[in-house]
């Protein structure tokens, strides 16, 4: 079975393979060591190829299903992605996926947020040199955003020292009015990035509406691609 077979199976069942081992089995990969870098690469390429196929066939749900399951598995997997694999998959994604896709921004954000884990072994350095120009420009902009976010957090920490009753959030936040009739005011809103491709605008708005835990509102921001900047801004 290859990526096209996975798509045909999805047409009949509405499901894509779940997990790394199921995908490697679906593409007839000979890999037996699930935690090997080669297995990580083959798994990632298979998922990205499925995304590309869904995009070209205008099968948006298949595209979204393939991306969502891989993204979730990568974030929660017992098999962390090594730097060489991340860079190689980013190269494949930037060569085959439209610039408007959240997938491209996800690769940038993951690399920027885990830069301290980037190795300097020969294979890692070689993989880094292969990263496309468009990817590196986005990395520069994302590091600028992170710098601004850290500066804002620093200001909030200073404010907390001055006013101990004002708790500093774990990420830059904005004051939010209560969303319900509850007598307990919502003191802060923390925004987290959502990299899912929602089925429609209603689903995205539901995702963005957020959930309340105690006096904190956790909301989701979604990417909006800026063609001039060639960047995915979250708002």
């Amino acid at each position: 079975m290859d990526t096209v077979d996975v798509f045909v199976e999805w047409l009949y069942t509405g499901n894509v393979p779940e997990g790394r081992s199921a995908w490697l089995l679906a593409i007839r990969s000979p890999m037996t060591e699930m935690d090997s870098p080669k297995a990580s690469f083959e798994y990632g390429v298979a998922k990205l190829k499925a995304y590309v196929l869904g995009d070209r066939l205008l099968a948006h749900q298949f595209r979204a299903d393939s991306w969502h399951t891989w993204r979730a598995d990568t974030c929660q997997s017992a098999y962390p992605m090594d730097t060489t694999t991340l860079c190689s998959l980013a190269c494949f994604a930037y060569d085959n996926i439209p610039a408007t896709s959240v997938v491209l921004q996800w690769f940038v954000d993951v690399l920027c947020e885990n830069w301290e884990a980037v190795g300097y072994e020969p294979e890692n350095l070689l993989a880094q040199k292969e990263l496309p120009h468009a990817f590196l420009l986005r990395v520069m902009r994302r590091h600028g955003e992170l710098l601004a976010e850290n500066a804002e957090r620093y200001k909030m920490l200073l404010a907390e020292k001055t006013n101990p009753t004002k708790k500093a959030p774990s990420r830059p936040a904005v004051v939010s009015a209560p969303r319900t009739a509850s007598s307990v005011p919502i003191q802060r809103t923390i925004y987290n990035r959502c990299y899912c491709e929602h089925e429609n605008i209603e689903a995205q708005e539901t995702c963005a509406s957020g959930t309340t835990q105690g006096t904190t509102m956790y909301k989701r921001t979604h990417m909006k691609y800026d063609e001039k900047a060639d960047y995915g801004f979250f708002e």
Side-chain angles (χ1 to χ4, degrees), residues 6 8-9 25 65-66 89 98 146 166 186 208 218 221 225:
V6 172
V8 173
E9 185 73 13
L25 180 63
D65 289 348
S66 299
L89 292 176
L146 291 173
K166 183 178 180 180
I186 296 174
Y218 292 88
T221 58
Y225 177 71

Side-chain angles (χ1 to χ4, degrees), residues 113-189:
E113 292 173 9
N114 297 277
W115 182 252
E116 70 277 4
V118 174
Y120 295 95
E121 295 78 9
E123 63 273 16
N124 287 335
L125 293 175
L126 181 62
Q128 293 168 38
K129 291 179 180 179
E130 296 299 320
L131 289 169
H133 181 69
F135 178 89
L136 297 177
L137 289 178
R138 290 200 190 201
V139 167
M140 292 170 57
R141 185 178 291 276
R142 180 57 183 150
H143 274 302
E145 288 181 339
L146 291 173
L147 185 63
E149 290 175 7
N150 289 335
E152 182 66 20
R153 168 141 177 82
Y154 179 69
K155 291 179 182 178
M156 292 179 177
L157 288 172
L158 289 179
E160 182 180 0
K161 288 183 178 181
T162 305
N163 182 8
T165 61
K166 183 178 180 180
K167 186 176 180 181
S170 58
R171 298 194 65 173
V174 296
V175 176
S176 175
R179 294 175 58 84
T180 67
S182 171
S183 59
V184 179
I186 296 174
Q187 297 178 349
R188 57 182 176 149
T189 301

Side-chain angles (χ1 to χ4, degrees), residues 76-87:
Q76 304 170 8
S77 177
Y79 315 116
M81 190 186 304
D82 63 285
T83 304
T84 302
T85 298
L86 176 63
C87 293

